[in-house]
Amino acid sequence: MALLGAIEAGGTKFLCAVGEDPAAPRDIQRFPTSASNPAETMAEVIRYFESRRVAAVGVASFGPLDLASGSITNSPKLAWQNYPLGESIATALNVPVAVDTDVNGAALGEAAAGAGRGVRDFVYITVGTGIGGGALVNGKPLHGAMHPEMGHLILRPHPQDSFKGVCPFHGACLEGLASGPAMKERWGQAAELLPDDHLAWEMEAHYLAQACASLACILSPSKILLGGGVMGRTGLLERVHRETIRLLNGYLRPPEIVAPTLPYPALSGALAMARAILEG
Ligand code: ZN
């Protein structure tokens, strides 16, 4: 079986891995994402793969992206704007490269080897420093004209919330209200320091449930996977599930809301993307 390459390109680090099977990315190494010089980061990434002789590479990347060309577009990381991520790897290694969003990558990984196995329609959402979502529709990642940006869904404020939100574009969108930095800004301390019975968690569940209810209405997923650092809070997932059911109010059958199961879903997805290239 051919050796495949996987890259999870993030705002602070690039993770590289190899493997034959999406279930088992191995030899994982991390390289810091240079804020000023993409070529520096990419030189380390290329060096990693040069010694490992992969047949194809999948890249699950931060965005926004132009998926047709595999380039980063108007990223707030200015040095990376318009960076031809896919092309630079393909040229340096002389192998085919597939690029998708980090969250579509994570969804593909969970579909291949995790909580999305055997599920044709599901959404993967990560709640951490940022909020992003990817979707598999009829077994395929949803791209649309650009790609979905589920972290920027516009929400209705919780009745006790006067916080304006931290999103530089929308203020009180999902990411602006419910990301880790939003919680820290609203409450003056990091989310992990807030006790379980703090109002913060009721609000958090309410906002994430609004997103889940909207996504259920738009995409009709049978499952929604909620991952990321903020979802590590015990009981939050169940709370979001209950609140989603309450908001949908019996109109449609609520999707199952579950935790992802893979340690590196985006790397697993990137391996699945590389495998798909070879399978044509
Ligand atoms: Zn926003």
Side-chain angles (χ1 to χ4, degrees):
M1 218 187 297
L3 187 64
L4 307 167
I7 300 172
E8 178 179 355
T12 58
K13 63 181 185 297
F14 274 51
L15 292 181
C16 296
V18 294
E20 289 83 12
D21 178 353
R26 62 172 193 271
D27 217 352
I28 298 170
Q29 287 192 23
R30 65 178 58 207
F31 306 106
T33 306
S34 167
S36 58
N37 187 4
E40 226 170 78
T41 306
M42 295 313 293
E44 299 205 77
V45 168
I46 299 302
R47 204 171 306 133
Y48 170 92
F49 284 109
E50 271 172 349
S51 60
R52 287 173 174 81
R53 303 207 154 261
V54 292
V57 177
V59 186
S61 178
F62 69 97
L65 297 167
D66 173 25
L67 293 176
S69 67
S71 300
I72 293 164
T73 59
N74 58 330
S75 167
K77 294 190 87 65
L78 298 178
W80 289 84
Q81 281 194 354
N82 303 314
Y83 189 79
L85 190 57
E87 193 190 298
S88 68
I89 299 161
T91 305
L93 300 176
N94 197 25
V95 295
V97 175
V99 178
D100 211 324
T101 62
D102 42 11
V103 277
N104 267 347
L108 284 165
E110 290 289 331
R117 234 178 324 190
V119 186
R120 295 195 57 81
D121 298 280
F122 73 90
V123 175
Y124 173 97
I125 299 174
T126 179
V127 189
T129 309
I131 298 182
L136 254 63
V137 175
N138 203 14
K140 296 256 188 303
L142 177 65
H143 289 154
M146 185 184 83
H147 48 73
E149 284 286 350
M150 300 176 194
H152 297 274
L153 283 165
I154 307 299
L155 305 180
R156 191 163 63 183
H158 183 281
Q160 286 161 272
D161 194 10
S162 56
F163 183 56
K164 296 294 179 216
V166 297
C167 177
F169 294 92
H170 319 111
C173 65
L174 175 59
E175 183 171 288
L177 290 171
S179 62
M183 295 184 80
K184 187 171 183 196
E185 175 92 15
R186 183 194 284 107
W187 302 108
Q189 53 185 320
E192 54 268 33
L193 301 175
L194 300 165
D196 285 347
D197 59 357
H198 196 285
L199 175 62
W201 298 109
E202 180 189 314
M203 282 185 189
E204 187 69 5
H206 178 69
Y207 289 132
L208 293 173
Q210 282 192 50
C212 289
S214 295
L215 291 166
C217 293
I218 297 165
L219 294 173
S220 192
S222 45
K223 282 190 184 185
I224 296 178
L225 278 49
L226 288 182
V230 173
M231 291 311 300
R233 173 60 55 134
T234 306
L236 179 59
L237 187 118
E238 294 73 14
R239 221 164 163 171
V240 174
H241 199 182
R242 285 196 300 275
E243 181 69 357
T244 303
I245 292 168
R246 189 185 73 79
L247 291 172
L248 289 171
N249 199 25
Y251 181 68
L252 51 83
R253 194 171 64 188
E256 256 185 275
I257 295 179
V258 300
T261 60
L262 297 177
Y264 296 99
L267 284 179
S268 290
L271 286 178
M273 287 156 61
R275 187 174 65 181
I277 302 174
L278 298 182
E279 287 170 352

